[in-house]
Amino acid sequence: MVSFVVEKPQRMSNGVVSETTRLSIIPNNSSSAQKTLLKNLEIINGGQRVNAWVDSMRASSPTHLKSLSSSVSSEKHLSSWIMRHPSALEMFEKITEASGGKQIVMFLDYDGTLSPIVDDPDKAFMSSKMRRTVKKLAKCFPTAIVTGRCIDKVYNFVKLAELYYAGSHGMDIKGPAKGFSRHKRVKQSLLYQPASDYVLMIDEVYKQLLEKTKSTPGVIVENQKFTASVHFRCVEEKKWSELVLQVRSVLERYPTLKLSQGRKVFEIRPMIDWDKGKALEFLLESLGFGNSNNVFPVYIGDDRTDEDAFKMLRDRGEGFGILVSKFPKDTDASYSLQDPSEVMNFLRRLVEWKQMQPRI
C-alpha cells in the first residue's frame, strides 16, 4: 500500500530540502530574502510531493496497465508473475492438501473481490449467485468480510447476518448477529473499535473534503465512520494534481491522520497501529485460534490495503493470501485469481470439497 504522511520534509530525500538545510542557507540579515527563498523551496518540494502522488495514481490506473500489457516484455513479465503467483483454481488440489485437516477460516475483501469495481461505489452490488455462494461458504467455515467500507454500507450489500464483519480497514469489527453463529468459539457480543476516538474528527474531515473538492468533477467523498475515502476513478487525469493539493490542504490541519492510496481511491485513516492484517489476527484470536497450529486462514482481496493481511499470513507461516488481479502487482499473496467470477468459482469448489469430507 502506498502511504504518505502529510508533514513538512525533515531530511534530504529525492531532492526534498530539509527544514534544517533551508535555514542554514538563508542569510541572517535578510528577512525578505528568507521569505522569498522559503516560498520558492516550498513550491519546489510541494511540487515534488504532488508529482509522487500523481505517479502513484497513474500506476494504479487500469488504463495505463492495459497500455503496457501489449508489449512483449510485459507478456514475459506476466508469465513470470503467474509462475510466482499461480492461479488458485489451477492449484486447488494443492491448496486443499496444504490445509491438512486444519480449521479453514475465510477472509474476503468486498469491492473487486465479491463485487465488480464500478464507477459509483454506491452501486457495487454483489450478484445473487455470489451471495448464495458466500452463504454456503459460511456454513462450512467461519467467514469474515474485511473491507475499507463502513460496516453498515457493506452489510447493506452482503445482507448475511451469519458473517463476521471488519469494516473501515478493520477498525470496526463485529461478530455474527445473535443466534446466527455456527461456531461456538466466538462470543456473540464480539465488538472491537480501536479508532472510536476518531469518529468526530473523521466526520469533520469528511465535510471539509466535500467542500474542498466540489470544484473537481467526478470526485466522490465517503464517510466510512472511522475513515474517509476520496474516489478519483471518474476524475480526469489532468485534474489529479489539483485533487492531491485539495486533499492535502485539508489534512495538513490534522497531524493524527494519514493519507494512503488504494485502487483509484485516497484513504484518510487515523495514525494508529491497525490495519487489515491486525484485524485478521484479532478475529483469529476471537475464534480461539490466536496461538493455534490447527488453523488455516485464507484471505482473498484485490487492493493495496489487503497486502497487510497477505504479509501477516506469510509472516505467520499459516494459510495463504490470494490476490484478485488481471495484471502483475508486487504482492505477498501466494496465489491469484483474475476477477470476482473466478473468486466465486474458487469458493464454490471449496464448499464442494468440504461437503465431500467425512464428518468427524
Side-chain angles (χ1 to χ4, degrees), residues 77 81-82 132 135 143 163 178 226 251 260 281 323:
H77 179 50
W81 186 84
I82 291 175
R132 287 195 296 270
K135 187 176 182 67
T143 301
L163 306 184
K178 187 175 181 180
F226 298 98
L251 290 190
S260 60
E281 283 187 305
L323 176 67

Side-chain angles (χ1 to χ4, degrees), residues 117-130:
I117 294 293
V118 295
D119 291 342
D120 185 349
D122 288 334
K123 296 181 180 179
F125 304 109
M126 69 188 301
S127 68
S128 56
K129 289 183 179 179
M130 180 66 88

Side-chain angles (χ1 to χ4, degrees), residues 122-280:
D122 288 334
K123 296 181 180 179
F125 304 109
M126 69 188 301
S127 68
S128 56
K129 289 183 179 179
M130 180 66 88
R131 184 176 292 103
R132 287 195 296 270
T133 300
V134 174
K135 187 176 182 67
K136 291 178 182 177
L137 184 76
K139 289 181 180 179
C140 298
F141 315 104
T143 301
I145 304 295
V146 186
T147 175
R149 291 178 179 268
C150 70
I151 284 183
D152 291 343
K153 288 182 180 179
V154 77
Y155 184 83
N156 285 337
F157 283 127
V158 180
K159 298 177 181 178
L160 294 175
E162 57 266 47
L163 306 184
Y164 302 86
Y165 289 88
S168 301
H169 299 288
M171 295 185 193
D172 191 9
I173 300 176
K174 291 182 181 179
K178 187 175 181 180
F180 280 88
S181 177
R182 296 173 177 271
H183 310 285
K184 298 179 181 179
R185 287 173 173 265
V186 72
K187 296 178 181 178
Q188 289 289 327
S189 58
L190 176 63
L191 174 66
Y192 188 59
Q193 299 174 331
S196 57
D197 292 341
Y198 289 84
V199 173
L200 293 179
M201 183 184 294
I202 289 295
D203 186 57
E204 186 177 294
V205 168
Y206 162 71
K207 291 174 181 175
Q208 291 185 33
L209 286 169
L210 277 178
E211 180 65 26
K212 184 68 72 171
T213 63
K214 67 181 182 181
S215 62
T216 304
V219 175
I220 298 177
V221 183
E222 287 191 291
N223 185 341
Q224 310 290 7
K225 189 174 180 179
F226 298 98
T227 66
S229 304
V230 180
H231 299 267
F232 57 87
R233 182 168 299 276
C234 297
V235 177
E236 293 184 19
E237 186 173 334
K238 64 183 180 181
K239 292 284 189 179
W240 287 358
S241 295
E242 177 184 318
L243 179 60
V244 171
L245 290 172
Q246 290 169 344
V247 174
R248 288 182 65 241
S249 69
V250 171
L251 290 190
E252 282 174 351
R253 298 190 291 275
Y254 297 91
T256 58
L257 298 179
K258 62 182 177 180
L259 180 65
S260 60
Q261 186 193 323
R263 194 170 172 183
K264 287 284 194 164
V265 61
F266 288 134
E267 305 284 1
I268 294 89
R269 295 194 275 173
M271 203 176 291
I272 62 174
D273 186 22
W274 198 262
D275 51 41
K276 288 184 176 182
K278 293 286 197 318
L280 193 159

